[in-house]
Amino acid sequence: MGPSTTLKAEVVHAVREEMAQKLADVVFRRTELATGGHPGEAALRSCADLMAAELKWDRCRAQQELAEVERILRIRAAHSSPADKAAQTGVRESQRL
């Protein structure tokens, strides 16, 4: 999914076998999609589209799920330390000016 190492099959497995019902559950707990921070809009959309097909979500539900994940990602970014942010971008504190 996008630049992530998360496979579409992992998302489908989470829904079919692990009974995942929420996009946030799949993004933050059942896969490594958001482990390194925001995985990108395309990856989130792809995950939401897969879940929507599996769970028969309408467009409104998929948008609500995406909005919830984006809100959580914003909160996490606001509360992360400078070291966390550097790790996500690959910049070490010693490289900063």
Side-chain angles (χ1 to χ4, degrees), residues 1 9 16 24-27 29 31 35-36 49 52 54 56-58 68 70 73-74 76 81 83 86 91 94 96:
M1 304 184 96
R16 290 182 185 175
D25 183 25
V26 171
V27 170
R29 287 180 287 282
T31 69
T35 300
D49 288 347
E54 288 292 318
K56 310 289 190 261
W57 290 346
D58 60 17
E68 178 183 14
E70 289 288 355
L73 286 165
R74 280 193 304 277
R76 285 184 171 193
S81 70
V91 176
S94 62
R96 295 182 185 273

Side-chain angles (χ1 to χ4, degrees), residues 18-57:
E18 299 175 1
M19 313 281 247
Q21 298 290 304
K22 303 280 291 169
L23 180 62
D25 183 25
V26 171
V27 170
F28 297 111
R29 287 180 287 282
R30 298 184 192 261
T31 69
E32 295 183 357
L33 196 55
T35 300
H38 197 301
E41 189 176 319
L44 292 177
R45 168 62 61 192
S46 180
C47 187
D49 288 347
L50 282 169
M51 291 188 71
E54 288 292 318
L55 298 169
K56 310 289 190 261
W57 290 346

